[in-house]
Amino acid sequence: MNAIKKVGWFCGLLGAFVFSAYSAAQPAIQEVTNVARPDRTVQNQFYVSGRKPLQPLYLLKLPVGSIEPKGWLHKYLELQRDGLTGHLGEISAWLAKKDNAWLSTDGSGDHGWEEVPYWLKGYANLGYILKDPKIINESKIWLNAALNSQREDGYFGPMILKRGKPDLWGNMIMLWCLQSYYEFSEDPRVLPFMEKYFRWQYKLPDSMLLEDYWEHSRGGDNILSVYWLYNRTKGNDWLLDLAEKLHRNTANWRRPTSLPNWHNVNIAQCFREPATYYLQSGNEADLTATYNVFRLIRDRFGHVPGGMFGADENARKGYTDPRQGVETCGIVEQMASNEILAGITGDPFWADHTEEVAFNTYPAAVMPDFKALRYITSPNMAISDSKNHHPGIDNRGPFLMMNPFSSRCCQHNHAQGWPYYAEHVYMATPDNGLAAVLYGEAKVKARVGNGREVTVESSGHYPFDEHTVFEFSMSNSVTFPFYLRVPAWCSDAKIKINGTPINLEVQPSSYIKINRLWKNGDRVELELPMELKVQYWTANKNSISVNRGPLTYSLKIKEQYKKADSKASAIGDSKWQDNADAEKWPSYEILPASSWNYGLNYHEEDPSTFFKIVKGAWPANDFPFTQDGVPIRLLATGKKIPSWKVDQYGLTDTLPQSPVKVDSKTETIELIPMGAARLRISAFPVVR
């Protein structure tokens, strides 16, 4: 990935670029500049940042509910509500209320671990964002139970002992649920509850802390919650001692050439731990360590389109082809990590990468109606059936099938993906401004400048369209900075303010900062030209992929959906509620009904001459992530590669070495956005 070259680039880029422009047509004072980061030498007066001695953030998350998604993002959240996320409490045995330890005041019960908080942190936030009273009320049943379960010593939730030591992993997730709930409700019980629990952790001997596999890897999540509380309370300096204690008992994600373990979810989730601790240490080496882990896994297993890496369950030496995939858990945890790192570092790279994963890999991991998902999703995936593909993938069982109960983890953890994305479309800046961080149609209400509330609403069909419009509403004029992220892939970003073009030289991977006296009805137009680009994956058989802006394109394969009994086809640790109607929640195999084994006839010519862009109408249902709904597709020429077949494990065979000499006839082939292709070839051989 070209963006990986940014490793180390962030250090020292704390000032503005020298480019600036002024619009003489505007009567009010206005300054438009191109900057590397928002200004964090000042502190936001209205939203929580880092309280000293913690490092200040570059971008501040707004309270959940501040942002109202529109367009396709709102449609996706509705699909979640009406699909698996919104109804999982009715079908998953792990969410059954009877004998659930999360509903017990003393932590007793016959089930209760990660599944409830995994699901709740997406489900509850979905309710807050959509202002859905049914979801909010259902969430409060679980949240109130967690709050009411706190014992005298401070511990809460299910008491899970492993080798005589408490397993804190499930509690880490529930803390995130409570933090979102506090942002939404300001329930006064939450802060003292967390303080009492952290007192219990503070007294726990090191030998009893974070000893089990999952919690040991994921201690960074606990540290984030400690900082969250520290920033909202005073007189709790001991919390920083607790954070240091958690840090030294968490797996070491600072190794320069290896990782503590190679499980895909742990990597996507835990690589940010050093950068999290940087907020306390102030040590640039901690930031560098996080960038290094990101680079390390992709140097070895990530020479593939879509932003992720080939780990299946665990990354394995020699298994680096784009047919290797990643768990849906890994996808959404990568997105969450990126969103957090955007705030810590201000680096536009993390927003770029969030979009790369969210638009290209995540949508293909779920059914279009969001009623089933796949455990493992790959860039090259010509078949999605119920067979056991081990050892081709590092999982035994039907892990490539779309199933409403794909596994205990992904079935519940998938819920955070789009709600968390929606919560980071806009973020506050330390200088009492706002930043458009992740693009999409949305309306935000926030306090800026001298404390006045403003509304900014964006419109446009990004990432399929190059043009986004921001309209400002307020009762009285107010001066504040408004930042627009410029992606690394865009070399010629342009803006207009109230119809007047701004003459500004803009660097890729930066921000356009507009500091002006904003008035009701002001309008900013952002143009992000999307050039066609071909990316070479030399470490993966000289294969290529095709990008337009943040979207990667895949071969359109005719998809044949074969319905199956979800209970009969589920994996071993799936458990349904006794009265759940599996007929309402079917599983599907997706089989290819057209040829998939094509290479591209590309000979390093100008991509704009080789690929023809075909634009269609925006889908009437506002959902562009289906084969029939995509508004932009590409036409190219290619040839079938007869020797490239399904292999002995029932998987798309590994890539042939490019260039491939074949005698097949040249054909016109159609490419569609990767996220709309549940079956796809995204890394193409080159044919001669």
Side-chain angles (χ1 to χ4, degrees):
M1 297 175 64
N2 292 335
I4 293 176
K5 296 177 181 177
K6 293 169 60 65
V7 175
W9 173 86
F10 68 94
C11 297
L13 279 180
L14 304 182
F17 290 112
V18 297
F19 311 115
S20 64
Y22 299 87
S23 174
Q26 297 293 336
I29 295 174
Q30 173 175 286
E31 183 181 24
V32 185
T33 55
N34 186 210
V35 301
R37 299 285 190 278
D39 179 12
R40 69 166 187 170
T41 62
V42 292
Q43 186 168 5
N44 192 291
Q45 297 175 308
F46 317 114
Y47 299 106
V48 177
S49 182
R51 186 165 70 82
K52 291 182 179 180
L54 294 182
Q55 297 291 315
L57 299 172
Y58 283 98
L59 294 165
L60 286 57
K61 182 182 175 297
L62 295 166
V64 59
S66 302
I67 300 169
E68 179 184 349
K70 303 283 188 179
W72 70 259
L73 183 54
H74 183 262
K75 177 65 176 181
Y76 227 142
L77 294 174
E78 288 185 324
L79 288 168
Q80 273 201 260
R81 177 198 63 198
D82 299 336
L84 192 60
T85 306
H87 294 275
L88 199 56
E90 304 164 18
I91 65 174
S92 168
W94 307 107
L95 304 185
K97 291 186 173 70
K98 183 180 179 181
D99 293 329
N100 195 307
W102 281 108
L103 296 178
S104 167
T105 56
D106 61 2
S108 62
D110 67 5
H111 61 284
W113 185 45
E114 67 180 6
E115 294 82 14
V116 166
Y118 253 166
W119 164 71
L120 191 61
K121 73 176 182 177
Y123 175 78
N125 286 32
L126 183 67
Y128 306 148
I129 293 167
L130 295 179
K131 298 176 174 58
D132 187 302
K134 179 181 177 182
I135 294 178
I136 293 171
N137 290 334
E138 177 68 17
S139 299
K140 287 175 71 174
I141 293 173
W142 299 95
L143 294 163
N144 283 328
L147 290 166
N148 292 333
S149 73
Q150 190 162 51
R151 274 72 106 187
E152 281 300 315
D153 62 3
Y155 189 83
F156 75 95
M159 175 53 76
I160 300 174
L161 297 176
K162 296 186 177 179
R163 299 183 299 279
K165 299 175 182 180
D167 175 14
L168 308 184
W169 163 232
N171 287 25
M172 293 185 203
I173 318 171
M174 186 59 81
L175 289 173
W176 284 35
C177 300
L178 290 168
Q179 289 157 209
S180 291
Y181 171 62
Y182 179 81
E183 291 178 13
F184 177 74
S185 68
E186 297 185 347
D187 189 320
R189 296 176 295 169
V190 174
L191 299 185
F193 171 91
M194 290 179 64
E195 181 177 348
K196 188 175 181 179
Y197 174 64
F198 287 145
R199 284 281 186 189
W200 175 84
Q201 284 190 342
Y202 187 63
K203 296 175 183 177
L204 203 64
D206 282 36
S207 61
M208 298 286 284
L209 184 64
L210 304 183
E211 288 291 310
D212 190 58
Y213 173 75
W214 299 113
E215 61 175 0
H216 182 59
S217 289
R218 301 171 179 181
D221 283 29
N222 204 140
I223 296 171
L224 269 174
S225 293
V226 171
Y227 293 157
W228 184 92
L229 181 63
Y230 180 80
N231 286 329
R232 286 163 176 79
T233 57
K234 293 184 178 180
N236 286 330
D237 290 345
W238 60 270
L239 285 170
L240 299 184
D241 294 333
L242 172 60
E244 192 279 328
K245 178 179 178 178
L246 292 163
H247 168 69
R248 70 174 180 260
N249 285 283
T250 296
N252 181 9
W253 294 95
R254 289 159 180 74
R255 302 176 186 177
T257 59
S258 66
L259 300 179
N261 61 76
W262 296 90
H263 177 58
N264 78 92
V265 183
N266 285 346
I267 297 165
Q269 180 174 359
C270 305
F271 83 101
R272 59 175 151 78
E273 192 276 342
T276 299
Y277 190 65
Y278 158 79
L279 292 173
Q280 181 170 346
S281 73
N283 187 348
E284 294 287 335
D286 290 331
L287 277 179
T288 301
T290 282
Y291 280 81
N292 180 64
V293 177
F294 183 93
R295 175 193 57 78
L296 179 65
I297 189 65
R298 285 164 179 80
D299 278 354
R300 298 187 185 179
F301 300 98
H303 291 275
V304 296
M308 293 303 294
F309 46 87
D312 305 330
E313 186 76 17
N314 298 285
R316 298 173 292 162
K317 187 176 181 179
Y319 289 81
T320 60
D321 189 84
R323 76 168 184 183
Q324 312 302 143
V326 69
E327 289 182 44
T328 301
C329 277
I331 296 168
V332 297
E333 292 292 357
Q334 181 70 60
M335 291 166 58
S337 291
N338 292 347
E339 290 151 4
I340 292 165
L341 289 168
I344 294 173
T345 70
D347 190 345
F349 167 69
W350 298 115
D352 287 0
H353 192 256
T354 302
E355 292 185 350
E356 183 178 10
V357 174
F359 300 155
N360 297 302
T361 300
Y362 187 32
V366 298
M367 288 287 286
D369 61 5
F370 225 102
K371 291 185 177 180
L373 57 84
R374 194 193 283 120
Y375 187 70
I376 298 290
T377 298
S378 310
N380 281 7
M381 194 170 201
I383 191 166
S384 181
D385 60 17
S386 60
K387 294 179 181 178
N388 178 6
H389 296 281
H390 184 82
I393 63 169
D394 190 31
N395 304 83
R396 297 178 186 271
F399 283 100
L400 302 190
M401 190 179 196
M402 289 287 189
N403 194 305
F405 211 136
S406 178
S407 69
R408 287 178 65 174
C409 56
C410 295
Q411 184 199 25
H412 302 85
N413 194 24
H414 78 273
Q416 67 172 296
W418 289 118
Y420 278 24
Y421 183 97
E423 290 177 50
H424 290 84
V425 170
Y426 292 96
M427 299 180 77
T429 57
D431 49 5
N432 294 336
L434 271 178
V437 179
L438 301 174
Y439 290 121
E441 292 186 88
K443 180 167 68 174
V444 61
K445 289 185 179 180
R447 295 174 69 189
V448 295
N450 58 9
R452 197 170 303 283
E453 185 178 83
V454 302
T455 298
V456 183
E457 183 167 356
S458 54
S459 59
H461 293 145
Y462 185 91
F464 303 90
D465 191 9
E466 301 170 319
H467 194 70
T468 302
V469 175
F470 301 86
E471 296 181 280
F472 294 73
S473 303
M474 62 205 74
S475 57
N476 295 100
S477 299
V478 59
T479 300
F480 68 94
F482 183 62
Y483 294 82
L484 296 161
R485 179 186 120 251
V486 180
W489 50 259
C490 183
S491 59
D492 192 25
K494 296 180 175 64
I495 62 165
K496 294 180 182 179
I497 300 177
N498 293 330
T500 301
I502 302 298
N503 182 22
L504 179 69
E505 185 179 350
V506 179
Q507 297 293 304
S509 194
S510 66
Y511 298 88
I512 298 171
K513 178 182 179 181
I514 308 171
N515 194 29
R516 75 189 302 271
L517 177 65
W518 297 94
K519 305 181 297 298
N520 188 54
D522 278 347
R523 176 184 172 99
V524 173
E525 297 173 69
L526 174 67
E527 193 80 21
L528 298 174
M530 297 178 179
E531 297 179 5
L532 286 168
K533 296 180 181 179
V534 173
Q535 184 161 356
Y536 281 85
W537 304 97
T538 54
N540 237 327
K541 307 289 184 65
N542 286 327
S543 56
I544 62 174
S545 59
V546 186
N547 304 318
R548 180 180 179 269
L551 296 180
T552 299
Y553 280 74
S554 300
L555 177 71
K556 183 179 181 180
I557 303 170
K558 188 175 181 180
E559 298 171 351
Q560 176 186 351
Y561 287 79
K562 185 178 177 182
K563 188 176 177 180
D565 184 323
S566 291
K567 290 187 177 181
S569 60
I571 67 172
D573 66 354
S574 300
K575 288 180 67 175
W576 288 66
Q577 292 184 23
D578 292 338
N579 59 353
D581 186 356
E583 283 293 318
K584 294 181 180 179
W585 303 94
S587 293
Y588 291 94
E589 293 186 305
I590 310 176
L591 308 176
S594 62
S595 298
W596 58 265
N597 54 341
Y598 283 94
L600 287 175
N601 259 331
Y602 185 73
H603 294 171
E604 299 189 5
E605 57 262 61
D606 180 351
S608 64
T609 64
F610 181 80
F611 299 97
K612 180 182 178 182
I613 299 174
V614 180
K615 295 185 178 182
W618 184 255
N621 65 355
D622 248 350
F623 191 67
F625 291 103
T626 64
Q627 288 194 351
D628 296 332
V630 293
I632 296 182
R633 55 196 176 96
L634 305 179
L635 297 180
T637 62
K639 294 182 178 183
K640 290 180 185 175
I641 304 173
S643 60
W644 194 23
K645 301 177 180 179
V646 172
D647 74 355
Q648 70 269 33
Y649 306 122
L651 293 167
T652 307
D653 204 353
T654 56
L655 286 163
Q657 181 69 45
S658 292
V660 185
K661 293 184 178 181
V662 292
D663 296 327
S664 309
K665 67 177 181 178
T666 296
E667 301 179 45
T668 298
I669 59 175
E670 184 177 348
L671 309 183
I672 60 174
M674 190 176 173
R678 272 89 195 156
L679 298 183
R680 67 262 189 94
I681 297 296
S682 307
F684 290 90
V686 176
V687 292
R688 295 286 187 266

